[in-house]
């Protein structure tokens, strides 16, 4: 039987459809592979260190040695575990209500929604109790209202003496570096000027070394400038 012209047309259409289908299949595999590669890069990016920044944008290192980690705290026979940002010494305003931001991305693991200041007698008893050294519970009370964030590298940042946490912030929430977490206050201080205490622990707060623990002041300042991207 001799093929008719219509048969050639049908054959051509079938071949075209086969080519198009094959092309889509190849492109589909390429697209799937590309999507998989993007997902892998996203995972790598999430784990990559992004660097830490100060919780007050534009701030500099505290200018007073007593506001740095390892500074003695004679009243409780211990040392400071973090950086204290005070008015007039942080290169940025430190006033009640100043916004505090996350130093790096991570997961919120503690949010104090309210803080009850101890009365004069209770505070006096607390200070008497810590004269020979403070327990973790007493240190926690002295820090006032706090927010904690656990970071992908295993560290935990603590923001203390806050006036309040950022509205809507809750435990389990993921935050990016620079996201708001609270406001500068003076809780736990029994009055006085506002301040912000930033502690960064290598693991769980109070149960692991704090950042730069045991370093000399000069070595601490050198490492801190690099760690917080100040140079």
């Amino acid at each position: 039987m001799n093929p008719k012209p219509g048969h050639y047309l049908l054959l051509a259409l079938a071949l075209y459809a086969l080519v198009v289908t094959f092309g889509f299949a190849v492109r589909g595999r390429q697209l799937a592979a590309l999507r998989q590669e993007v997902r892998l890069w996203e995972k790598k990016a999430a784990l990559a260190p992004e660097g830490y920044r100060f919780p007050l944008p534009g701030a500099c290192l505290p200018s007073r040695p007593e506001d740095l980690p390892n500074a003695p705290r004679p009243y409780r026979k211990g040392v400071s575990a973090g950086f204290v940002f005070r008015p007039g010494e942080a290169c940025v305003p430190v006033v009640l209500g100043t916004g505090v931001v996350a130093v790096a991305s991570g997961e919120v693991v503690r949010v104090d929604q309210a803080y009850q200041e101890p009365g004069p007698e209770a505070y006096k008893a607390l200070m008497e109790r810590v004269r020979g050294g403070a327990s973790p519970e007493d240190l926690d009370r002295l820090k006032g209202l706090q927010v904690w964030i656990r970071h992908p590298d295993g560290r935990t940042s603590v923001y203390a003496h806050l006036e309040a946490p950022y509205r809507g912030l809750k435990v389990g929430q993921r935050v990016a570096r620079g996201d708001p977490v609270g406001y500068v206050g003076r809780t736990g201080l029994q009055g006085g000027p506002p301040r912000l205490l930033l502690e960064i622990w290598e693991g769980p707060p109070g149960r692991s070394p704090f950042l730069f623990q045991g370093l000399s002041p000069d070595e601490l300042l050198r490492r801190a400038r690099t760690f917080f991207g100040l140079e």
Side-chain angles (χ1 to χ4, degrees), residues 7 10 23 30 41 52 85 98 101 129 133 159 207 226:
H7 294 162
L10 289 174
Q30 290 175 337
W41 276 107
Y52 285 71
F85 299 91
T98 298
V101 302
R129 192 164 61 246
Y159 312 78
R207 294 188 286 124
T226 300

Side-chain angles (χ1 to χ4, degrees), residues 49-231:
E50 61 176 351
Y52 285 71
R53 295 295 182 267
F54 276 150
L56 300 176
C60 56
L61 281 164
S63 58
R64 302 197 306 181
E66 56 264 40
D67 290 337
L68 297 172
N70 303 305
R73 292 292 184 264
Y75 71 92
R76 55 180 172 81
K77 292 190 176 180
V79 297
S80 173
F83 299 85
V84 180
F85 299 91
R86 302 176 189 265
E89 300 184 22
C91 301
V92 294
V94 182
V95 299
L96 284 175
T98 298
V100 177
V101 302
V103 297
S105 63
E107 178 185 357
V108 178
V109 294
R110 172 175 171 175
V111 180
D112 293 346
Q113 296 296 344
Y115 177 80
Q116 184 65 45
E117 290 281 2
E121 290 302 317
Y123 189 76
K124 181 179 178 181
L126 172 61
M127 297 306 290
E128 184 66 27
R129 192 164 61 246
V130 301
R131 284 179 61 184
S135 68
E137 294 76 19
D138 287 335
L139 283 175
D140 198 60
R141 292 186 184 94
L142 291 169
K143 293 176 189 176
L145 191 146
Q146 303 170 57
V147 167
W148 296 6
I149 299 174
R150 183 169 57 227
H151 305 286
D153 60 8
R155 294 186 173 102
T156 302
S157 55
V158 173
Y159 312 78
H161 302 309
L162 298 176
E163 179 182 34
Y166 184 68
R167 184 177 180 181
L169 192 71
K170 58 186 178 182
V171 171
Q173 182 176 335
R174 301 288 304 180
V175 295
R177 187 180 72 186
D179 281 352
V181 297
Y183 305 93
V184 169
R186 53 188 174 197
T187 53
L189 298 171
Q190 290 289 295
R195 70 186 68 171
L196 173 66
L197 169 62
L198 167 70
E199 297 177 346
I200 299 180
W201 296 82
E202 298 295 347
R207 294 188 286 124
S208 63
F210 57 80
L211 187 68
F212 307 135
Q213 184 169 339
L215 295 184
S216 68
D218 288 343
E219 180 66 9
L220 186 152
L221 289 172
R222 186 183 67 81
R223 293 197 190 186
R225 291 187 187 99
T226 300
F227 186 85
F228 291 106
L230 301 177
E231 56 183 22

